[in-house]
Every structure is written in structure tokens, then in C-alpha cells.
């Protein structure tokens, strides 16, 4: 018996499925394989994909009734919903004043050491109520959806007290419950050393390990634990202490590693079996081999490198060549990378990391899903997966990183529902139009 389709997207100019072996991220030369179907179609029942094939073939596989919503996507490109595996979505305030400091040549870590940077956002986030954080977070989440992102990781890390970290994590949960972007929560209590612990950083680490982590676990508020392992922030030893404690409690692990100074964070990620190590601008060759061996996903954040005006990007080509699974993310945050637009990251990755359009696309879909342990649910257009898709007003997939700075999204489908570009709005409008 043929299954009835609730939604059918047909005549897709180029349907990029990113399908493959969902047990494993795309590696090395397989990153060129995007599972392209010309004149493609995808059928959905409820929130799941029930068929993905050519338009001709699909009509033999599913039943289309007068209730089926049919979308003609001739001349368009369809991708799996984009996955952003590294964001700091919830924060108070903003830091546009840092732009002029940057132009004067003040380094990012010096702004932080002077009590600004992350610590500035910490003050604003502590001041904000949970409701205010939810309100701004929902706004940012809709911006992301309208730009094609359907799943994102979201970190705490601007509270740095137990109450304020819990407030941020609860806000992440509420944001996830109040709009369609699906969120995967990460506890980043060790994001900076709070000002009142400046002279005794180990005491703060102690607080993270003995009080914050167990409380976050008990309340089920985070799936991952992350730490900013960096010169003048958390040392390698402190990072090991936090991540080992988190692992023992059952958290999966992430680490901000090798961004400015190589302290050994990416080796630690491999040693502890972390899901990802992120940034990696100055990753040593030895760590590349270790990450390939352990299949730790390298989350590369080229928007941050661009915005900090660094002169060297993460060695994405070397990592791909060595068989490290590579994913891309925005790093959306109010300081080092204030964009939540993954389409822009795709262009920067192509131009400055030297990644091909196909590699870039796998890095913001299936490999990004692996980077947050969601690859069995999202990241590709395959039967049985959640029906998360984006229709781009683009004649082919190469057009996406090429046409930077314009939002090419025409429609976004999340769990089988058209959440952006629905029919009650103008062609490029959103179901939600007010912010
Ligand atoms: O990933 N590197 C540390 N944390 C963020 C920046 C946060 C901020 O500047 O507020 C990052 O780049
Ligand atoms: Fe970050």
C-alpha cells in the first residue's frame, strides 16, 4: 500500500540529499558527494520523510490526495535543513563598541583581560531576566530559521554563577519550546573566569565541577559540556578536570580549542572521546592525526576568524585530507561573531578555508548533525529522517556560497510544516512576520 503524502515538494531543479552512511560523517573525498538528484522530489507524512527520489519515480511510491500540500520547486535548489552546531544563542546586550577597539588594534584577549569582551556580556546577561533572554533568543531563532537553519546547538556561559547559568539553560529550553528551531543545549560554565575569581581561578573550576555540573545534570538541562581552553582563560589542566568530571556525569563533550594559542585542547578532545573540538586555528599536526583517529568532529568557525580579522584560518584542507570529520558553524555570539547566518559562513568557508561548495554543504548539514549527535534524525534528506528542508531560490547548489550577502531562502520546512515562506505571506515572507 502506498503511503499518503501530507506534503510533496516536486520538480526540484537540484535536490541535494547529503545522503550516505548516517553512522559516519562524510570524510576526505566523500565530502564531495552531496547525493544530488536532478528533477528531484521529496514526500512527507507527519514530521517524517517517506520518499526521496526523482519526481517521476516518487509518484509511483506515494499517494497524493487533494489534501496533500504540493510545492513546485522548478528551478530551485533544495537542501536538508541547515544545522548550526556551535552557537552562543542566549545573551544579554550587544558589543558593537568593540568594533572601534578592534580597528585601533586592541586584541580580543586583551579586551577580555581588561574586564570587557565576554565579561561585558556576563554583566548584561546577569542583569537580564529569564523572560528577557527568552524574548531575544526567540527573535534570534526566527532570524536563523528565516536564513535556513532548522537545528542549532546553544550554549550557556554568560552567567558564570550557578543561578545565572541555570537561568540561561532554562531560557534555551523555553526558546526551543516557543518556536520551530530545534535546540541542543550545552553547559559552558567554564567560558571565562568571573571577575570575583580573577585571583583564584581554580576555585571557580572547583565550583563548576562540584556544584554547577551536578546541578545541571540533575535538572537535565544540558546534553553537552564545553570549556574555553585558551591562554589567559582556562588551562589544559583545568579543562581536563572539567571535562573528565562532565564525562563521569554522563555529559557528551565539546571544547573551544587551539583558537589563539595551542594549549593541547584538541589532543585532550581526542583523548577523552569528545564529540567535537571547535575553532582550531592553530591546531598542531599531531592533534589532526589524533582527531582523525578518534573521529572527533572539527567544528570550524570561519566567521569568527573573519570578524576578529585574524590573518590565518583553521587548516580545514589539511584536516579534510587527514580524514578528520569537518563541520562548519556560525559561533553566533555578541563578541567574536555576531552573525547567525550560515549562508554567509558557507561563503567565507569557501573563499578562506578553500572548501568546495560540495564540502561546504556537507559541513552545514550531515557533518554538522554528527557534531551534535543528531545524525540519525537530521542532516540529510532520507526516508525515515525528520522532514527538515530548505528551498533556496538558487538554480543549483554552487550558487549558494557564490551569492553571498543575500538571503536566498524561499521556504523552510521544519518537522513537515512550512514555517517560513508559507502561503499566507508574500513569496519570500515568513509565517511569522513580526518580531
Ligand atoms: O567561541 N571563544 C570563546 N567564546 C566565544 C566568544 C564569546 C564572546 O566573545 O562573547 C567564541 O568565539
Ligand atoms: Fe564559541
Amino acid at each position: 500500500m502506498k503511503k499518503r503524502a501530507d506534503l510533496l515538494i516536486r520538480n526540484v531543479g537540484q535536490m541535494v540529499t547529503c545522503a550516505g552512511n548516517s553512522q559516519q560523517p562524510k570524510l576526505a573525498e566523500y565530502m564531495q558527494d552531496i547525493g544530488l538528484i536532478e528533477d528531484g522530489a521529496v514526500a512527507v507524512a507527519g514530521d517524517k520523510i517517506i520518499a526521496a527520489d526523482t519526481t517521476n519515480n516518487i509518484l509511483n511510491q506515494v499517494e497524493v490526495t487533494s489534501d496533500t500540500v504540493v510545492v513546485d520547486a522548478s528551478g530551485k535548489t533544495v537542501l536538508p535543513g541547515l544545522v548550526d552546531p556551535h552557537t552562543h544563542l542566549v545573551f544579554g546586550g550587544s558589543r558593537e563598541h568593540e568594533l572601534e577597539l578592534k580597528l585601533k588594534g586592541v586584541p580580543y584577549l586583551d579586551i577580555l583581560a581588561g574586564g570587557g569582551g565576554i565579561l561585558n556580556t556576563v554583566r548584561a546577561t546577569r542583569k537580564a531576566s529569564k523572560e528577557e533572554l527568552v524574548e531575544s533568543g526567540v527573535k534570534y531563532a526566527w532570524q536563523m530559521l528565516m536564513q535556513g537553519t532548522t537545528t542549532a546547538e546553544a550554549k550557556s556561559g554568560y552567567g558564570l554563577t550557578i543561578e545565572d547559568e541555570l537561568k540561561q539553560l532554562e531560557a534555551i529550553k523555553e526558546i526551543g519550546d516557543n518556536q520551530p528551531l530545534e535546540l541542543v543545549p550545552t553547559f559552558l560554565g567554564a567560558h571565562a573566569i568571573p571577575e570575583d575569581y580573577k585571583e583564584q581561578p581554580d576555585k571557580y573550576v572547583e565550583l563548576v565541577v562540584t556544584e554547577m555540573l551536578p546541578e545541571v545534570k540533575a535538572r537535565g538541562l544540558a546534553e553537552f559540556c564545553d570549556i574555553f581552553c585558551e591562554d589567559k582563560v582556562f588551562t589544559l589542566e583545568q579543562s581536563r578536570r572539567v571535562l573528565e568530571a562532565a564525562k563521569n556525569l554522563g555529559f557528551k563533550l565539546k571544547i573551544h580549542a587551539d583558537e589563539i594559542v595551542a594549549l593541547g585542547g584538541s589532543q585532550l578532545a581526542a583523548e577523552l572521546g569528545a564529540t567535537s573540538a571547535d575553532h582550531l586555528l592553530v591546531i598542531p599536526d599531531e592533534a589532526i592525526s589524533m582527531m582523525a583517529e578518534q573521529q572527533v568532529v572539527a567544528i570550524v568557525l570561519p566567521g569568527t576568524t573573519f570578524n576578529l580579522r585574524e590573518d590565518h584560518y583553521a587548516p580545514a584542507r589539511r584536516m579534510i585530507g587527514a580524514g578528520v570529520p569537518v563541520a562548519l558553524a556560525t559561533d553566533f555570539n555578541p563578541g567574536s561573531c555576531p552573525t547567525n547566518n550560515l549562508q554567509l559562513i558557507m561563503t567565507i568557508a569557501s573563499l578562506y578555508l578553500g572548501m568546495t561548495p560540495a564540502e561546504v554543504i556537507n559541513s552545514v548539514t550531515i557533518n554538522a548533525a554528527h557534531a551534535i549527535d543528531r545524525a540519525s534524525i537530521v542532516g540529510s534528506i532520507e526516508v525515515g529522517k525528520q522532514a527538515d528542508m530548505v528551498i533556496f531560490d538558487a538554480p543549483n547548489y554552487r550558487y549558494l556560497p557564490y551569492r553571498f550577502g543575500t538571503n536566498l531562502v524561499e521556504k523552510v520546512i521544519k518537522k513537515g510544516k512550512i514555517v517560513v515562506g508559507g502561503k499566507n505571506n508574500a513569496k519570500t515572507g515568513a509565517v511569522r512576520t513580526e518580531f
Side-chain angles (χ1 to χ4, degrees):
M1 252 251 309
K2 284 203 246 176
K3 274 199 190 154
R4 201 187 75 83
D6 296 318
L7 170 70
L8 174 69
I9 305 171
R10 54 173 294 173
N11 302 102
V12 182
Q14 288 201 336
M15 188 164 87
V16 176
T17 65
C18 299
N21 170 6
S22 65
Q23 304 302 309
Q24 242 206 349
K26 303 247 182 183
L27 303 176
E29 65 269 28
Y30 294 106
M31 287 193 77
Q32 302 296 344
D33 175 12
I34 51 170
L36 183 66
I37 302 177
E38 307 264 356
D39 194 9
V42 51
V44 175
D47 64 352
K48 295 271 174 350
I49 295 169
I50 55 168
D53 211 320
T54 60
T55 302
N56 264 341
N57 287 347
I58 215 161
L59 297 173
N60 303 323
Q61 295 167 32
V62 298
E63 186 193 350
V64 178
T65 70
S66 54
D67 289 336
T68 306
V69 175
V70 179
V71 177
D72 184 301
S74 316
K76 315 279 178 192
T77 298
V78 170
L79 256 63
L82 306 183
V83 177
D84 191 343
H86 180 142
T87 85
H88 304 254
L89 179 72
V90 177
F91 53 83
S94 59
R95 304 202 324 247
E96 52 276 30
H97 65 279
E98 281 181 21
L99 178 53
E100 273 145 299
L101 290 176
K102 218 164 25 184
L103 297 181
K104 287 189 190 132
V106 186
Y108 177 72
L109 286 182
D110 288 7
I111 299 177
L112 176 60
I118 297 176
L119 292 172
N120 178 325
T121 301
V122 168
R123 288 188 288 276
T125 306
R126 286 179 180 172
K127 243 186 243 153
S129 66
K130 184 174 75 181
E131 291 66 34
E132 286 167 332
L133 294 178
V134 171
E135 193 182 320
S136 61
V138 165
K139 179 180 76 176
Y140 298 136
W142 272 107
Q143 292 170 350
M144 291 163 79
L145 281 161
M146 292 174 74
Q147 297 175 109
T149 304
T150 52
T151 302
E153 184 256 15
K155 302 176 197 294
S156 69
Y158 291 119
L160 313 186
T161 65
I162 189 150
E163 297 75 28
D164 291 300
E165 285 294 307
L166 292 172
K167 177 176 75 177
Q168 254 194 298
L169 290 169
E170 282 166 6
I172 291 170
K173 183 167 180 349
E174 281 186 35
I175 296 161
D177 291 343
N178 282 290
Q179 49 68 49
L181 177 71
E182 213 173 333
L183 297 178
V184 174
T186 295
F187 170 65
L188 177 59
H191 190 196
I193 295 152
E195 278 167 307
D196 43 341
Y197 284 86
K198 213 171 165 182
E199 306 307 327
Q200 40 188 348
D202 281 325
K203 268 245 163 78
Y204 182 66
V205 171
E206 183 73 19
L207 180 73
V208 170
V209 167
T210 60
E211 293 185 36
M212 293 191 191
L213 273 171
E215 191 60 31
V216 170
K217 188 71 199 171
R219 296 187 190 210
L221 284 171
E223 187 172 322
F224 287 91
C225 175
D226 192 350
I227 185 163
F228 189 14
C229 177
E230 185 56 71
D231 185 35
K232 299 184 200 144
V233 194
F234 293 97
T235 64
L236 183 65
E237 290 63 40
Q238 290 166 337
S239 304
R240 179 187 294 281
R241 174 134 197 256
V242 169
L243 293 181
E244 277 180 350
K247 188 174 175 178
N248 288 336
L249 286 168
F251 287 95
K252 290 174 270 188
L253 308 180
K254 293 182 165 287
I255 183 166
H256 283 65
D258 295 341
E259 181 181 359
I260 299 160
V261 181
L263 297 184
S266 41
Q267 289 94 323
L268 181 65
E271 202 185 301
L272 297 179
T275 306
S276 74
D278 307 32
H279 284 293
L280 309 173
L281 273 65
V282 292
I283 184 173
D285 283 341
E286 175 213 344
I288 294 182
S289 310
M290 288 172 73
M291 283 178 57
E293 177 86 14
Q294 296 302 317
Q295 289 290 285
V296 178
V297 181
I299 301 185
V300 184
L301 309 162
T304 308
T305 315
F306 173 77
N307 185 60
L308 293 180
R309 306 210 300 171
E310 303 277 358
D311 55 11
H312 57 286
Y313 281 73
R317 285 252 59 88
R318 256 194 294 143
M319 293 195 280
I320 291 170
V324 176
V326 169
L328 290 164
T330 58
D331 194 17
F332 176 50
N333 72 70
S336 68
C337 195
T339 185
N340 51 12
N341 179 353
L342 262 179
Q343 291 173 72
L344 180 58
I345 301 304
M346 290 165 75
T347 298
I348 301 174
S350 203
L351 295 177
Y352 294 102
L353 300 174
M355 292 172 68
T356 65
E359 289 171 335
V360 162
I361 286 174
N362 279 318
S363 300
V364 292
T365 55
I366 189 65
N367 282 11
H370 277 284
I372 50 171
D373 198 23
R374 287 291 186 282
S376 58
I377 305 167
V378 298
S380 60
I381 300 180
E382 286 180 272
V383 173
K385 279 212 175 172
Q386 197 165 282
D388 294 1
M389 269 111 36
V390 189
I391 303 177
F392 287 99
D393 184 9
N396 58 70
Y397 73 87
R398 290 187 170 92
Y399 195 87
L400 297 173
Y402 151 77
R403 269 296 306 278
F404 71 93
T406 299
N407 185 7
L408 299 170
V409 168
E410 192 168 294
K411 283 185 173 44
V412 177
I413 293 101
K414 179 66 186 176
K415 295 186 180 171
K417 301 244 156 28
I418 301 176
V419 296
V420 172
K423 67 172 170 220
N424 23 356
N425 291 283
K427 198 162 155 244
T428 51
V431 167
R432 184 188 149 130
T433 51
E434 288 167 46
F435 295 105

